[in-house]
Amino acid sequence: MGHKVVVFDISVIRALWETRVKKHKAWQKKETERLEKSALEKIKEEWNFVAECRRKGIPQAVYCKNGFIDTNVRLLDKIERNTLTRQSSLPKDRGKRSSAFVFELSGEHWTELPDSLKEQTHLREWHISNTLIQIIPTYIELFQAMRILDLPRNQISHLPAEIGCLKNLKELNVSFNHLKSIPPELGDCENLDRLDCSGNLELMELPFELSNLKQVTFVDISANKFSSVPICVLRMSNLQWLDISNNNLTDLPQDIDRLEELQSFLLYKNKLTYLPYSMLNLKKLTLLVVSGDHLVELPTALCDSSTPLKFISLMDNPLDNAQCQDGDEIMESERDRQHFDKEFMKAYIEDLKERESVPSYTTKVSFSLQL
């Protein structure tokens, strides 16, 4: 009896594998297109781009226009080539564009304010950033027309009590300086609308006198050392935005519902283990971020469709101990990282709130963000 020999048609086998390869390539193409259209992929791309710009010292205003980040690689190359030229010509250009009522100053060669400034009491706005200035002089009380004090990323360690004389002051930004306290006289600025004290790292409390600021709608005290929500903040009856993230909060006060106008509440990167049920009484709260905390309990009603919340993040709870900050980190590196985290989170939240592609029937969106 002879052996049986099985003969295969090679063309049939090849056709079978070619079909499988085509299907796999089609799946890969479809998956690539899905990722390109994915909001998370776009966020990741923008995150990496912003991080690269920050590493190269490129100012945010250059690559962020009207709230949108241009991630074009050619743009990055162009910005990198021309950064020094732009920085050298910026003071001259600003001088041409600036209003006669606006004072602008930037650059690490500035260690104190120019003497001529005290004669310009008609000024309504100060925009001073990225300098080595440590002290705001007491003659600031002469600037009775002052509306905006924008003083981020300097070396300011002290605000004078005379700041309370600025009765028309609307905005105060002293973020990412070296403040350890806020003068109680600031409570006399009864028309103040926005207060930003974020990123000072050592700020632990706000004076009770700030309870008089009944017109404030925006408070940012993130990246400091607050162990509780300041009492004065709970008495700001018109407050709509409160950012107290990156602090040492272990709990929230039971009377947090005093903030009846609160719409956005940022609490990420604290030590919260629970959220009080009184938060259900915040009838206007539409955005809540508590990611990266120690949450083990929260009112389940927060996730019901009956609440006004549209965006809520409760991701990364409880927080892995390995992610806790090392106390031996260099202060300036920590300051830069906190500034980047805060700016990106705000930009991301604004993008979520304004994105037109969100279906009208969506009431809540959970998102995770590795900070």
Side-chain angles (χ1 to χ4, degrees), residues 169-172 189-197 210-221 232-244 259-266 284-287 346 350 353:
L169 188 64
K170 290 282 189 178
E171 299 181 17
L172 175 62
C189 300
E190 54 191 24
N191 289 305
L192 194 68
D193 177 71
R194 295 174 63 90
L195 175 62
D196 189 343
C197 301
L210 268 59
S211 301
N212 298 327
L213 303 177
K214 302 301 183 183
Q215 302 302 318
V216 170
T217 61
F218 177 100
V219 170
D220 188 343
I221 50 176
C232 62
V233 171
L234 294 174
R235 284 160 173 73
M236 296 176 180
S237 54
N238 282 315
L239 193 62
Q240 298 176 13
W241 174 291
L242 175 58
D243 187 348
I244 193 169
L259 301 175
E260 297 179 353
E261 300 297 319
L262 192 63
Q263 299 176 15
S264 300
F265 199 5
L266 278 67
K284 295 187 178 181
L285 187 65
T286 58
L287 185 147
K346 285 187 177 180
E350 289 302 315
K353 293 173 68 176

Side-chain angles (χ1 to χ4, degrees), residues 224-228 244-252 267-275 290-297 316-319 321 323-325:
N224 285 296
K225 288 189 176 179
F226 288 92
S227 57
S228 62
I244 193 169
S245 54
N246 281 288
N247 277 283
N248 296 322
L249 269 66
T250 56
D251 56 23
L252 294 178
L267 293 159
Y268 64 92
K269 283 192 172 181
N270 278 288
K271 300 176 182 178
L272 297 172
T273 57
Y274 72 98
L275 297 179
V290 204
S291 58
D293 280 71
H294 296 187
L295 284 183
V296 294
E297 181 183 355
D316 300 325
N317 287 286
L319 183 65
N321 290 332
Q323 297 178 3
C324 293
Q325 297 298 321

Side-chain angles (χ1 to χ4, degrees), residues 191-206:
N191 289 305
L192 194 68
D193 177 71
R194 295 174 63 90
L195 175 62
D196 189 343
C197 301
S198 61
N200 283 280
L201 301 184
E202 298 297 323
L203 197 59
M204 302 178 64
E205 59 182 16
L206 294 179

Side-chain angles (χ1 to χ4, degrees), residues 36 259 284 309 327 335:
E36 289 176 351
L259 301 175
K284 295 187 178 181
L309 277 170
R335 195 181 306 277

Side-chain angles (χ1 to χ4, degrees), residues 73-105:
V73 177
R74 293 181 181 177
L75 174 65
L76 182 58
D77 293 337
K78 182 179 178 181
I79 291 173
E80 188 177 4
R81 287 196 306 269
N82 299 330
T83 296
L84 294 177
T85 304
R86 285 181 183 151
Q87 287 179 345
S88 62
S89 62
L90 189 58
K92 183 186 298 183
D93 294 339
R94 281 186 173 179
K96 292 179 180 178
R97 294 194 304 265
S98 296
S99 164
F101 299 98
V102 178
F103 173 73
E104 296 182 330
L105 193 69

Side-chain angles (χ1 to χ4, degrees), residues 100-316:
F101 299 98
V102 178
F103 173 73
E104 296 182 330
L105 193 69
S106 181
E108 294 186 355
H109 57 283
W110 291 102
T111 58
E112 59 183 18
L113 294 173
D115 291 336
S116 59
L117 183 60
K118 66 176 66 174
E119 308 297 333
Q120 305 179 50
T121 56
H122 63 282
L123 292 173
R124 297 178 182 175
E125 299 181 16
W126 283 10
H127 297 274
I128 303 171
S129 63
N130 296 288
T131 72
L132 299 181
I133 294 174
Q134 300 182 21
I135 297 176
I136 300 300
T138 57
Y139 64 69
I140 195 173
E141 64 180 335
L142 302 175
F143 292 77
Q144 290 298 304
M146 187 75 73
R147 299 289 192 278
I148 298 176
L149 266 179
D150 186 34
L151 312 171
R153 298 188 70 80
N154 297 291
Q155 303 293 316
I156 301 171
S157 58
H158 173 72
L159 290 178
E162 286 76 8
I163 197 172
C165 297
L166 306 180
K167 303 301 183 181
N168 293 307
L169 188 64
K170 290 282 189 178
E171 299 181 17
L172 175 62
N173 180 1
V174 287
S175 61
F176 294 90
N177 282 281
H178 296 279
L179 294 174
K180 294 185 179 180
S181 64
I182 300 296
E185 289 79 6
L186 182 63
D188 295 332
C189 300
E190 54 191 24
N191 289 305
L192 194 68
D193 177 71
R194 295 174 63 90
L195 175 62
D196 189 343
C197 301
S198 61
N200 283 280
L201 301 184
E202 298 297 323
L203 197 59
M204 302 178 64
E205 59 182 16
L206 294 179
F208 180 78
E209 287 78 2
L210 268 59
S211 301
N212 298 327
L213 303 177
K214 302 301 183 183
Q215 302 302 318
V216 170
T217 61
F218 177 100
V219 170
D220 188 343
I221 50 176
S222 61
N224 285 296
K225 288 189 176 179
F226 288 92
S227 57
S228 62
V229 179
I231 296 177
C232 62
V233 171
L234 294 174
R235 284 160 173 73
M236 296 176 180
S237 54
N238 282 315
L239 193 62
Q240 298 176 13
W241 174 291
L242 175 58
D243 187 348
I244 193 169
S245 54
N246 281 288
N247 277 283
N248 296 322
L249 269 66
T250 56
D251 56 23
L252 294 178
Q254 293 298 323
D255 59 344
I256 191 68
D257 53 359
R258 292 173 62 105
L259 301 175
E260 297 179 353
E261 300 297 319
L262 192 63
Q263 299 176 15
S264 300
F265 199 5
L266 278 67
L267 293 159
Y268 64 92
K269 283 192 172 181
N270 278 288
K271 300 176 182 178
L272 297 172
T273 57
Y274 72 98
L275 297 179
Y277 280 88
S278 56
M279 288 193 65
L280 297 174
N281 298 326
L282 298 175
K283 301 303 182 182
K284 295 187 178 181
L285 187 65
T286 58
L287 185 147
L288 176 64
V289 181
V290 204
S291 58
D293 280 71
H294 296 187
L295 284 183
V296 294
E297 181 183 355
L298 72 152
T300 55
L302 279 176
C303 300
D304 292 344
S305 58
S306 59
T307 65
L309 277 170
K310 294 182 179 179
F311 305 104
I312 179 171
S313 172
L314 303 171
M315 306 302 292
D316 300 325

